[in-house]
Amino acid sequence: AQSVSQHNHHVILSEAASLELGCNYSYGGTVNLFWYVQYPGQHLQLLLKYFSGDPLVKGIKGFEAEFIKSKFSFNLRKPSVQWSDTAEYFCAVNGFSGGYNKLIFGAGTRLAVHP
Amino acid sequence: DAGVTQSPTHLIKTRGQQVTLRCSPKSGHDTVSWYQQALGQGPQFIFQYYEEEERQRGNFPDRFSGHQFPNYSSELNVNALLLGDSALYLCASSWGQDRGPQYFGPGTRLLVL
């Protein structure tokens, strides 16, 4: 079955620590990849997206993600997290067979950043 | 530029009742998708509307139905509510049916008692 896996359900970091959240998907065709963020009390916001071209994409607030096709992965990174990065992060994929613009989400990773 | 709006923000219903949720897409968008987000899980695709027709459907029963109006706004209807329908219902809008990013509204939190 087509799916998206996020390896860490909960991550706790101190400010200035580096962040890497894993995301893997199961599909061999052409995909578009997204990371969404949900800050406490707010709605889902697009953090960054990959459609084609340079596999290293940069998003808002200093986040970046790398698409590794051979590993079916799209990991999210940030060199130095801030307390304001506390949120839930969702990896999403579309492009599954017959699924134009149908997003498949991972279960999410809840990040807590301590001052 | 107004983003995606949804109403109501919260709703409490009892088993067996019917509910209608509403969504207005982001300005310039013509495609509306609905997702269900259960507690502790990622959003799950319910269906998508484009040109006033249901274009795609996820793994949800026929109790879930929808509609899109000429102004691109949309409704999600759920009949014969079950306790398991309690969730956050998210509306997302995008342009056309290509694979562009979707923009989400704040959601409607439905509690079924």
Side-chain angles (χ1 to χ4, degrees):
Chain A
Q2 300 153 346
S3 63
V4 176
S5 298
Q6 292 183 239
H7 312 299
N8 311 98
H9 295 296
H10 292 92
V11 173
I12 302 173
L13 296 173
S14 298
E15 276 192 319
S18 64
L19 170 72
E20 181 160 2
L21 301 182
C23 172
N24 285 89
Y25 63 94
S26 62
Y27 181 68
T30 302
V31 293
N32 294 344
L33 300 150
F34 307 85
W35 276 97
Y36 284 85
V37 60
Q38 191 167 32
Y39 297 104
Q42 296 187 28
H43 58 278
L44 275 169
Q45 299 174 37
L46 182 66
L47 200 53
L48 50 78
K49 60 186 184 291
Y50 172 79
F51 286 175
S52 63
D54 188 345
L56 184 62
V57 293
K58 295 189 184 299
I60 60 173
K61 304 184 179 185
F63 286 90
E64 63 179 31
E66 184 176 12
F67 171 51
I68 303 180
K69 188 175 180 179
S70 61
K71 295 185 178 180
F72 300 94
S73 70
F74 189 56
N75 292 352
L76 181 70
R77 300 194 293 248
K78 186 171 184 179
S80 176
V81 295
Q82 302 172 334
W83 176 80
S84 58
D85 294 323
T86 295
E88 189 156 19
Y89 294 81
F90 293 93
C91 179
V93 179
N94 72 6
F96 291 102
S97 176
Y100 284 102
N101 220 354
K102 166 186 169 180
L103 288 173
I104 307 294
F105 283 85
T109 297
R110 195 174 294 273
L111 171 67
V113 179
H114 295 304
Chain B
D1 180 21
V4 180
T5 59
Q6 293 186 243
S7 64
T9 55
H10 295 82
L11 208 49
I12 300 175
K13 293 285 187 178
T14 56
R15 280 180 299 175
Q17 284 189 311
Q18 178 263 344
V19 68
T20 297
L21 311 181
R22 296 176 177 81
C23 170
S24 291
K26 181 179 169 65
S27 179
H29 287 178
D30 57 5
T31 302
V32 173
S33 303
W34 287 92
Y35 293 81
Q36 181 194 66
Q37 186 177 13
L39 207 59
Q41 297 182 22
Q44 289 198 332
F45 177 78
I46 302 175
F47 44 53
Q48 181 180 92
Y49 276 84
Y50 173 69
E51 293 186 337
E52 302 180 46
E53 289 188 16
E54 183 183 298
R55 299 291 178 166
Q56 300 183 75
R57 190 177 185 89
N59 189 24
F60 280 81
D62 291 345
R63 298 187 298 109
F64 290 77
S65 64
H67 189 77
Q68 186 179 34
F69 299 94
N71 67 352
Y72 308 123
S73 66
S74 177
E75 288 182 349
L76 164 66
N77 300 293
V78 187
N79 294 322
L81 284 167
L82 304 174
L83 296 180
D85 295 332
S86 295
L88 180 67
Y89 288 86
L90 298 169
C91 171
S93 74
S94 54
W95 185 84
Q97 281 198 289
D98 64 11
R99 297 175 180 176
Q102 296 185 16
Y103 294 87
F104 285 81
T108 294
R109 188 164 295 282
L110 172 65
L111 178 61
V112 182
L113 301 175

